[in-house]
Amino acid sequence: MEQTAGRVTRRRVRTRANLLDAAFAVFAAKGFGRVSIEEVCEAAGYSRGAFYSNFATLDELFFALYQQRADLIAAQVADALAQDGPGLDVPASVDRVTEVLLLDVDWLLVKTDFLVHAARDPAVAETLLDHRARLRQAVADRLSRSRVPTELPAVLGGADGAAHAVVAAYDGVTTRLLLDKDVDGARAWLKQLLTALLTDGSGTPDES
């Protein structure tokens, strides 16, 4: 009985993962607002029943995708920052973060389509804002745990303000990336922006 339950659980996990992968590919090719549940099912090779046993709506499926990417980005940032131990060498951390951070044009296309969709639906917008707030909080938590938090420029208003600035810089750079598809250029710009935001602009923490 337990073995049967285990097989069902593994199959369900695999089905969910396949639906997510198929949805991502279809969303990237056609745009979030132009895709039906039937198209996702066809791409994944499953029935509508398989879809509804995992997701209630396409919005719910998107948020599962979003959580995947958010978890990946958070892990990348955490791994890069953890190398400083209890302290935080801002310029070195910026270098490491920008080297590994996910900059995927297909994901940005999907996310941007969904952002427009959310802007027209207050309930969806609220959920998306909650997801973004959790990502900002993860950045703020790490900045606030640094050995010398006052090294952040005072104009940012502390770790929370710095986290907002970091996410805003990422949003701006990825908007440009959507248009020019220059991933290396995006990494270089992001490095410059984050260094300027989090230090005195020269790469040396402001100790004034």
Side-chain angles (χ1 to χ4, degrees):
M1 187 71 173
E2 291 181 0
Q3 289 181 343
T4 300
R7 287 196 296 271
V8 171
T9 300
R10 288 194 296 273
R11 184 166 63 247
R12 184 185 178 90
V13 169
R14 185 167 60 250
T15 298
R16 181 182 176 89
N18 290 341
L19 283 166
L20 287 170
D21 289 345
F24 177 70
V26 177
F27 290 163
K30 299 186 65 175
F32 176 83
R34 302 177 183 86
V35 173
S36 67
I37 289 174
E38 288 77 7
E39 287 173 297
V40 171
C41 292
E42 181 179 355
Y46 294 124
S47 66
R48 286 173 62 93
F51 180 94
Y52 285 117
S53 68
N54 287 276
F55 306 103
T57 64
L58 284 176
D59 285 357
E60 183 179 319
L61 184 151
F62 171 82
F63 281 119
L65 277 175
Y66 190 96
Q67 192 62 54
Q68 274 188 346
R69 298 311 190 277
D71 288 347
L72 174 60
I73 291 171
Q76 290 172 330
V77 172
D79 288 347
L81 296 182
Q83 296 180 42
D84 285 324
L88 183 64
D89 181 341
V90 171
S93 295
V94 167
D95 284 347
R96 290 195 299 271
V97 168
T98 52
E99 284 173 5
V100 302
L101 194 62
L102 176 70
L103 292 172
D104 179 72
V105 174
D106 283 344
W107 169 240
L108 295 173
L109 284 169
V110 174
K111 188 175 73 168
T112 302
D113 279 338
F114 192 80
L115 178 63
V116 173
H117 167 64
R120 294 188 171 93
D121 187 324
V124 178
E126 184 176 355
T127 304
L128 186 56
L129 285 170
D130 287 343
H131 277 75
R132 288 172 61 83
R134 286 198 290 273
L135 179 59
R136 285 197 306 270
Q137 189 60 52
V139 176
D141 287 347
R142 184 60 185 94
L143 291 173
S144 66
R145 290 198 303 271
S146 64
R147 185 179 293 118
V148 192
T150 54
E151 289 181 348
L152 295 171
V155 70
L156 294 176
D160 287 342
H164 274 81
V166 166
V167 174
Y170 178 80
D171 286 344
V173 167
T174 53
T175 296
R176 170 174 170 162
L177 176 58
L178 276 173
L179 300 176
D180 65 18
K181 308 297 191 294
D182 182 1
V183 175
D184 290 339
R187 291 194 190 283
W189 271 109
L190 188 60
K191 177 180 177 180
Q192 291 181 37
L193 283 172
L194 293 182
T195 299
L197 283 168
L198 300 177
T199 70
D200 61 1
S202 66
T204 303
D206 184 1
E207 298 179 355
S208 60

